Amino acid sequence: MDKTDYEYIVIGAGPAGVQMAYCMEKAGKDYIVLERNDRVGSFYQKYPRHRTLISINKKHNYFKEKEFNLRHDWNSLLCDEDDMSFFNYSDDLFPDAGLLVDYLSDFSKKFNLKVRLNTNIVKVHREAVLDRRHPSRFTITDQNGKVFTCKVLIVGTGPVLPHNPDIEGIELADTYQEHTLDLKEYENKKVLILGGGNSAFECADHLAGSAAIIHMCTRTPVKLAWDSHFVGHLRAVNNSVLDMYHLKSLHALRQCDTKKFVREDDGTITQTFEMELPHWSPPGTATFTSKGYDKVILATGWKFINIDLFDATCKPETHTDGKYVVLDEHWQSTVPDLYFIGTVMQSRDRRAASGFIHGFRYNVRTLSHMLGARYDDDQLPKKAFQSLDAEELSKFMIERVSTTSALYQMGQGYLCDVMVLKPNANGKSNGEEKMTGTADYYYELPREWVLKNDYFMSQENLLIVTIEDNHHRFPKMSVTEFFKPGDMNPRDCKCTAFPQGVYSAYKRGELQEELHVGGSLVVRADKKIFEGDNNPNRFTNKIKNLLHRQIGIGRGDHLERLFPQEQWEKNYRPWTQEEIEMRRQMEIAQKTVKSECRLGLVE
């Protein structure tokens, strides 16, 4: 008889489910992945509809480390085998989606992952049990009435339902999921596309050369990934229609709230919409109609949970009109022992990359470790140091930040490394680089979870290590201006366009200091980053000085400047007070003109 009872069950064999299966297979866990279709990665057999991935596949990156190159390989899953890199499947920067199906299938077979195909789960039930470690027992029923049971349920079903707005006459529209791709159907037609994300612009790009006029309508302003630095916002690879709009080439974008669609006698569709007009005098809201649309396409996104799958015993809370499930700091839902993985992990992440493979693959690996620690008493991955050697610790931390792909992709403090330092009570360095004691360096944990964890927050000496950029500190700066190096003279290099290592020192849960070591284009602090870099050790020197300030390890006088003082004076000319005032007045004038244009006071 087939085995039906497991410690862990994963629903869905997309990239998240396959990644979790790899982690559990490697750890020797009792698990099964249940997939409703006849092969893994089946979502990518149809989506994206226009068959080009927007996840980059940049295989030539100058540096040789596999870990570093994962920063620019957005399609591979994490594993120990070099031949299972997606780089081996395509040279294209934006590959064909069908290759991802092949890759996931090969990956699953390569590692003999326990995946059961053609198993469509139709009902999930939970029984509460009296077990401190496993308070749940899930009963899962497939389309044939076969029942599976587990103690921990992990859902990785990805985008499962269209997230369509509630609009009168919405049935007149085609959907992103089902609209025809035949360009002849759109030749010289007037097309309306609802939505302002990548799927909407993907449709518009596909039709731009065939349709006579494309109108794109979105309730909220379009957010550009190059402005927000969030990978889920509109990508440049999809924005040709936006380009055409601003270059006056018929296609157009408007921000409005659609209220109704009506089919006219001639077969065309009329849209009624409201538009807020804060720049009118007086400001107000106007109602308009737009006629003559031959086709309307809904590309308004997805829901990442099918709430009807869960009965009343285990129905998790959702948010954003049922689009996302509510998740805590380690991706557990409001139902105990029920976790969600994959693109739904963006439910609590709108700054890093959780919505894409190159982000959630790290979340999934981290969750697998946390599940092992919680349910099986496994140790979280860490590196142990048997002495507090300032040279060894600082070099390790700088090299880690210089090569890690996890902290790079899941930056802005979403995932972090944590170092717990435990000097001996009488451990004095007396100016030497070493101090007696130990240190544990933990890899890739959710920062919000760390900040609530009693063990970490009770430590006398704790360092949290992240990679962050600081674009959010400069919200009014144009993306084309945001490229200058950070101030390399002060200790705190927050004013930079580049990502950088950030080291936050805590004592018993209280933040003591936050050190930004300085960024670079390639985010390497372990090598010379340009010709004339006369102090490439300044990054490790900053960590040495931090360790001295916070714990007393070693000396605190290591050189942190890019140049020695005498050379700095040759290479850098400070502005005069008159030049500073001229720049200030110029920026004030520019801001005034922009404000007046927004208010409609000047042409």
Side-chain angles (χ1 to χ4, degrees):
M1 179 179 292
D2 289 346
K3 177 178 169 65
T4 58
D5 183 59
Y6 296 88
E7 185 82 6
Y8 302 93
I9 286 181
V10 181
I11 302 178
V18 172
Q19 183 69 78
M20 181 60 81
Y22 173 82
C23 294
M24 290 196 164
E25 184 72 27
K26 185 177 178 181
K29 301 301 182 185
D30 177 33
Y31 78 96
I32 189 71
V33 180
L34 305 178
E35 165 59 39
R36 67 178 178 177
N37 291 308
D38 60 359
R39 66 182 306 179
V40 301
S42 59
F43 178 86
Y44 296 97
Q45 290 179 292
K46 182 176 181 180
Y47 302 107
R49 292 296 312 280
H50 307 93
R51 307 313 295 145
T52 300
L53 298 172
I54 60 172
S55 46
I56 66 173
N57 181 55
K58 187 177 180 297
K59 63 193 301 181
H60 303 294
N61 302 307
Y62 190 75
F63 297 102
K64 301 300 183 183
E65 299 99 336
K66 176 184 176 182
E67 179 69 14
F68 178 89
N69 283 303
L70 275 168
R71 294 177 173 184
H72 311 290
D73 170 2
W74 289 14
N75 299 290
S76 291
L77 298 185
L78 305 174
C79 69
D80 296 330
E81 300 286 341
D82 290 344
D83 63 348
M84 287 313 300
S85 167
F86 191 81
F87 286 158
N88 298 324
Y89 286 70
S90 176
D91 293 333
D92 294 336
L93 183 62
F94 297 105
D96 182 89
L99 293 175
L100 191 53
V101 181
D102 296 338
Y103 170 77
L104 292 170
S105 179
D106 293 345
F107 189 98
S108 182
K109 293 175 183 176
K110 169 81 172 180
F111 298 109
N112 297 312
L113 303 182
K114 298 180 180 65
V115 179
R116 184 185 180 109
L117 301 174
N118 299 305
T119 306
N120 184 26
I121 301 305
V122 297
K123 180 182 177 183
V124 178
H125 173 79
R126 174 181 178 265
E127 298 175 0
V129 296
L130 298 177
D131 186 321
R132 177 186 62 81
R133 180 170 294 173
H134 298 103
S136 303
R137 182 177 182 272
F138 291 96
T139 302
I140 305 160
T141 307
D142 74 4
Q143 78 276 23
N144 298 316
K146 190 176 184 67
V147 175
F148 301 84
T149 58
C150 65
K151 296 177 180 177
V152 180
L153 180 60
I154 304 165
V155 179
T157 48
V160 289
L161 295 169
H163 186 239
N164 293 334
D166 183 15
I167 297 172
E168 183 181 346
I170 195 72
E171 68 278 0
L172 298 175
D174 297 329
T175 65
Y176 170 79
Q177 290 77 9
E178 301 300 334
H179 75 284
T180 179
L181 302 183
D182 184 358
L183 292 177
K184 290 187 178 298
E185 293 285 326
Y186 303 94
E187 286 183 355
N188 206 34
K189 299 293 178 60
K190 186 177 180 182
V191 180
L192 172 66
I193 300 175
L194 257 62
N198 281 296
S199 60
F201 278 89
E202 174 197 329
C203 293
D205 277 9
H206 181 69
L207 304 180
S210 298
I213 296 175
I214 298 173
H215 287 166
M216 301 189 68
C217 294
T218 174
R219 288 179 175 175
T220 57
V222 173
K223 296 180 180 179
L224 302 173
W226 62 27
D227 276 333
S228 67
H229 290 208
F230 176 58
V231 69
H233 290 153
L234 178 60
R235 304 281 302 287
V237 68
N238 277 334
N239 73 1
S240 63
V241 166
L242 191 60
D243 189 55
M244 295 174 73
Y245 168 46
H246 287 290
L247 295 176
K248 299 175 280 296
S249 293
L250 291 179
H251 304 323
L253 173 72
R254 62 176 175 240
Q255 182 183 335
C256 63
D257 188 4
T258 300
K259 295 299 183 182
K260 183 168 63 173
F261 292 116
V262 174
R263 177 82 72 184
E264 304 294 351
D265 292 341
D266 63 358
T268 62
I269 299 173
T270 296
Q271 176 200 28
T272 301
F273 62 91
E274 291 182 353
M275 181 178 288
E276 294 182 354
L277 302 168
H279 60 295
W280 283 26
S281 181
T285 299
T287 300
F288 299 98
T289 59
S290 187
K291 298 184 176 183
Y293 292 112
D294 298 290
K295 288 185 178 292
V296 176
I297 300 173
L298 299 178
T300 47
W302 297 86
K303 289 186 177 181
F304 297 93
I305 177 175
N306 179 4
I307 198 66
D308 294 333
L309 184 66
F310 306 89
D311 72 12
T313 64
C314 57
K315 199 174 291 290
E317 293 181 17
T318 62
H319 64 92
T320 318
D321 190 28
K323 182 172 183 175
Y324 297 112
V325 64
V326 174
L327 301 176
D328 68 10
E329 296 81 10
H330 65 311
W331 306 287
Q332 183 176 227
S333 71
T334 51
V335 177
D337 306 316
L338 174 59
Y339 298 82
F340 284 76
I341 60 174
T343 186
V344 69
M345 286 170 150
Q346 66 185 293
S347 171
R348 57 176 299 107
D349 168 27
R350 305 301 292 176
R351 295 181 65 186
S354 292
F356 283 64
I357 294 173
H358 68 285
F360 66 65
R361 62 189 178 190
Y362 302 105
N363 294 346
V364 171
R365 182 170 66 182
T366 291
L367 177 58
S368 74
H369 296 148
M370 299 177 79
L371 294 175
R374 177 176 181 179
Y375 297 109
D376 304 317
D377 292 329
D378 296 343
Q379 293 293 311
L380 292 173
K382 67 179 182 180
K383 177 179 174 62
F385 294 86
Q386 299 307 313
S387 66
L388 301 183
D389 183 325
E391 181 70 28
E392 181 184 13
L393 295 178
S394 60
K395 184 178 180 181
F396 173 82
M397 284 191 281
I398 287 297
E399 288 180 348
R400 168 68 176 162
V401 161
S402 297
T403 57
T404 173
S405 58
L407 302 190
Y408 182 89
Q409 294 295 0
M410 298 308 298
Q412 306 305 95
Y414 191 78
L415 289 185
C416 68
D417 290 351
V418 182
M419 178 174 273
V420 177
L421 301 109
K422 298 181 178 180
N424 290 338
N426 60 349
K428 301 291 184 181
S429 63
N430 297 320
E432 300 296 327
E433 293 297 333
K434 291 186 178 181
M435 174 185 286
T436 58
T438 61
D440 288 327
Y441 191 97
Y442 294 87
Y443 295 98
E444 300 164 23
L445 297 172
R447 181 169 183 169
E448 291 301 314
W449 179 81
V450 170
L451 293 176
K452 293 182 178 181
N453 182 275
D454 291 340
Y455 172 77
F456 289 123
M457 289 298 98
S458 65
Q459 296 301 317
E460 181 68 24
N461 298 292
L462 183 86
L463 287 179
I464 290 179
V465 183
T466 58
I467 293 179
E468 302 180 29
D469 63 49
N470 291 294
H471 74 278
H472 59 283
R473 299 179 188 273
F474 311 98
K476 297 181 180 179
M477 183 176 287
S478 164
V479 66
T480 56
E481 297 176 285
F482 196 69
F483 60 84
K484 296 177 182 177
D487 190 337
M488 296 185 183
N489 190 18
R491 172 177 297 151
D492 223 3
C493 304
K494 293 180 180 179
C495 183
T496 177
F498 307 125
Q500 60 178 302
V502 179
Y503 301 81
S504 303
Y506 285 82
K507 290 184 180 295
R508 297 178 300 280
E510 296 294 327
L511 178 63
Q512 304 297 306
E513 179 179 354
E514 188 176 80
L515 172 67
H516 292 67
V517 297
S520 71
L521 177 63
V522 294
V523 194
R524 300 287 305 231
D526 59 338
K527 301 178 183 296
K528 280 193 174 185
I529 57 177
F530 57 88
E531 289 300 320
D533 186 351
N534 291 335
N535 186 19
N537 294 322
R538 65 186 178 278
F539 301 108
T540 54
N541 288 347
K542 290 180 180 183
I543 303 299
K544 289 180 185 179
N545 292 342
L546 173 68
L547 293 173
H548 175 78
R549 289 193 300 273
Q550 294 298 326
I551 308 172
I553 301 174
R555 311 189 331 264
D557 57 355
H558 298 281
L559 180 64
E560 297 186 4
R561 291 179 180 272
L562 174 63
F563 302 112
Q565 183 63 37
E566 62 276 9
Q567 188 169 348
W568 181 263
E569 293 171 356
K570 294 179 182 178
N571 288 73
Y572 186 72
R573 182 188 69 80
W575 286 345
T576 65
Q577 193 59 43
E578 182 181 4
E579 289 173 315
I580 294 173
E581 181 61 24
M582 288 177 60
R583 172 57 67 95
R584 190 179 74 85
Q585 292 298 330
M586 181 178 68
E587 291 178 349
I588 290 173
Q590 290 174 341
K591 290 177 181 177
T592 300
V593 170
K594 290 180 180 178
S595 297
E596 290 177 345
C597 285
R598 280 195 292 269
L599 293 172
L601 302 178
V602 298
E603 294 183 356

